[in-house]
Amino acid sequence: MIGPSGTVRVMVATKPVDFRKGAEGLAALVRETMAADPFGGTVYVFRAKRADRIKLIFWDGTGLVLVAKRLEDGAFKWPAITDGVIRLSAAQLSALLDHPCGCSL
């Protein structure tokens, strides 16, 4: 997978977002709705209303990175929302992106 790995903090937006938003629009959502700093090294994960699309933004030290993935078939399987938060480790994020249906988790 291209992108973050290791011991990185991952925050997932619990509600679908407008997927017309780019990196700056998603960074604004991080500041406004998650009350967090999009330039702090955390990976922020967003999902579309349709469960076949996902976007990630993170600061890599030199710029804001936007990663987008659209599945050709199937849908992403999301973990449960607990206390209004979806928690993922870097390994779980990698598994979600590599095996979105949850078939190899």
Side-chain angles (χ1 to χ4, degrees):
M1 175 183 105
I2 296 173
S5 60
T7 56
V8 66
R9 185 170 178 215
V10 179
M11 293 183 68
V12 182
T14 57
K15 295 182 182 176
V17 300
D18 179 354
F19 255 46
R20 295 174 290 185
K21 291 186 184 298
E24 294 303 321
L26 293 173
L29 282 177
V30 168
R31 285 189 298 273
E32 295 165 8
T33 63
M34 298 174 138
D37 178 13
F39 307 105
T42 300
V43 176
Y44 297 94
V45 182
F46 300 91
R47 56 193 174 126
K49 288 181 183 177
R50 293 175 36 189
D52 66 342
R53 294 177 286 163
I54 188 172
K55 283 187 179 180
L56 288 69
I57 62 165
F58 60 95
W59 179 258
D60 73 352
T62 62
L64 194 60
V65 178
L66 172 66
V67 177
K69 184 168 185 174
R70 180 181 55 86
L71 299 176
E72 289 297 318
D73 190 29
F76 286 98
K77 183 177 178 183
W78 293 94
I81 298 173
T82 306
D83 299 325
V85 175
I86 297 176
R87 293 177 174 87
L88 293 177
S89 67
Q92 289 171 315
L93 175 60
S94 180
L96 177 69
L97 294 173
D98 292 342
H99 305 284
C101 66
C103 54
S104 296
L105 297 178

